[in-house]
Amino acid sequence: MKLIYRASRIFLLSSFLAAVVGGLFSYFILKSIMNNEANEHLFILKENVTNYVERYDHLPQNDIFFSDSCWFTPTKHLSISQLRDTLIYDELEDEMFDYRVLSFGIQVDSSFYSAHIQKPLYETEDLSEALLISFIIIIILMVGSLLLVNYKYSIKLWKPFYTTLNKLSDFKVTNREPISYPDTDIHEFKELHQRLETLTKTVQRDYLSLKSFTENASHEMQTPLAIISTNLELLIQDDNLTSVQMEQIAELMESISKLSKLNQTLLLLTKIENRQFSETKLISLSKVISKKLFSLKPWIEQKGISLEQSIQSSILLELNPYLFDVLLNNLLSNAIKYNLNIDGIIKIKLSTTGLTVSNTGKRLSNDIKVLKQRFQKGNESQHSMGLGLSLVDEICQTYGFTFKYEYQNCCHLFRIIF
Amino acid sequence: MKLLLIEDEVALGKVIQKYLISEGYLCEWVQDVPEAEDKIGVYSYDCILVDITLPHGSGFDLIRLLKNQKSTAGIIIISAKNALDDKLMGLDLGSDDYLAKPFHLPELNSRIKAIMRRRMNEGFNFILFEEIKVVPDSMEIYVNEKPVVLTKKEFDLFMYLLSNKNRVLTKATIAEHLYGDEIDQADTFNFLYSHVKNVRKKLQDSGCQDYIQSVYGIGYKFSKD
């Protein structure tokens, strides 16, 4: 839920609650004030009646005096005064109306009467209703306008925040440019920007130093490796070596060559990440692929793999030729290397939309996402270093291609979408 | 044949020089640009092996200097920087070959030999080894003046063995020379085995003695004895 909706919801909910409570409260207060008012009026009338009887020694006429009606009934005893509400039928309106009646005992000479004064209550009801309605209208108008203003203003207020959020989602640790934050005079946002700036800068710096460490380490390793392997090459020329020593040296040389190959691949990866292969050429993928397949033909034949290719001619792309060569090499040599030993098939399809390489083979023990990471191997193979797919992935990223993997009908399917 | 090696890494320079001397070359070795400039100014060489990253200058400066002097020496760049840019720039400046470190010493040897062959007597040149005659330019091989038909890879293999005769060559060295280092080594060794077998058979069928010796666990050696 968006911040602004939540804030509006809370605002609406609390306004509603306040309106209901406030409305009820004022309704009852009003009601009790009117009630008291009615009673007071009745008691004043009672006072008038008593005074009249005292002055003239007879009852006033059973008449309508002032605005309210008053009548008398004879009683045996002096009755106590009492207030009661009653419904009286009005013929004119054909409706029952609420009245309040004050009855009290009165003595004229030696006879007792009960006096009744009545007062209609519907006036006060109407008034309360009118008040309630106007109250509701005022509340609705107020809440509505406040909500609107608040909503509009919030959008404006939170704008720098959302801009920052968007910029952050585009943030890549490999990018060298720092993020530029929108200008704002709100203290909290300013602080947020400062903190983010420090954080992203630290992350970028750490990444760069880690990267340059790998780069330097690989670079510094090259020469010692070259020295070891060239010395070993010189050593095997010695005629006095026994065959056991020769074998030991051969093992050494194999390990050294693995190490230096690993080193070179790591260097290559770093160079691709550093965008050091920015030079591009318009190359015909169709031609390059056919050429590569031709050079790999002996290898494919030797493993008894049948090759099915559907290569659309004249597909041109602006690429770095060396990187595309690396990509092809890795994809194709994987397809050959990890193929079945009997009845293996490799299918290659090149069209305007992309390149697909699929080969028969055992299901991989690892997920492709993991395989794209460095040093992850699909199968426990002695001869692989697990850098191939990570190279392909890196190259695809450089050119904005999508690199996908699927396992379908016992086939590994690698798809590059241009 | 006189070579100048310009390499600042002492341990590496030493072993390269030693190897080349044992190959029968006259090999001088300097470690930085000023020293190299002195040598180039005074002596003339058949082939110059130059590193790119050097103290007090760059290998490229030396190549420019050589070209300004209209030197006829062959130039091979040996650089740890396995970057395409370096290679292209070096070749643009007029160097003959480029070898990325780490490289195999027999590979360096065969590159030097190839350049020397191209320089010495252009067009007409062949190599004689006992009853074998090889014409590298047209990729022909004769045993007792009878032609032997080899595939391109087989010919490359034979030339590589011949260029490094009397040397033990590891399988990895030969495989890399033939297939580059892109193909998985475990698989290339199988190829290599069948290629060697074919070359042996074809040569022997033409009445040639078997000069390709297997060195158990390591590789092969092309030798008369």
Side-chain angles (χ1 to χ4, degrees), chain B residues 41-82:
Chain B
V42 180
Y43 307 105
S44 72
Y45 296 90
D46 297 304
C47 191
I48 289 165
L49 315 170
V50 59
D51 194 359
I52 293 300
T53 34
L54 288 168
H56 319 297
S58 148
F60 291 130
D61 301 335
L62 292 173
I63 300 172
R64 280 191 203 99
L65 180 75
L66 282 165
K67 289 296 151 187
N68 285 342
Q69 287 184 349
K70 308 256 183 298
S71 158
T72 54
I75 302 167
I76 298 177
I77 296 174
I78 42 169
S79 169
K81 274 189 176 172
N82 187 13

Side-chain angles (χ1 to χ4, degrees), chain A residues 223 233 237 299 302 329, chain B residues 9 104-105 168 182 187 191:
Chain A
T223 314
E233 253 164 22
Q237 308 307 333
W299 194 14
Q302 188 232 349
N329 261 332
Chain B
E9 198 64 50
H104 297 288
L105 290 172
V168 178
E182 294 141 356
D187 279 316
F191 289 163

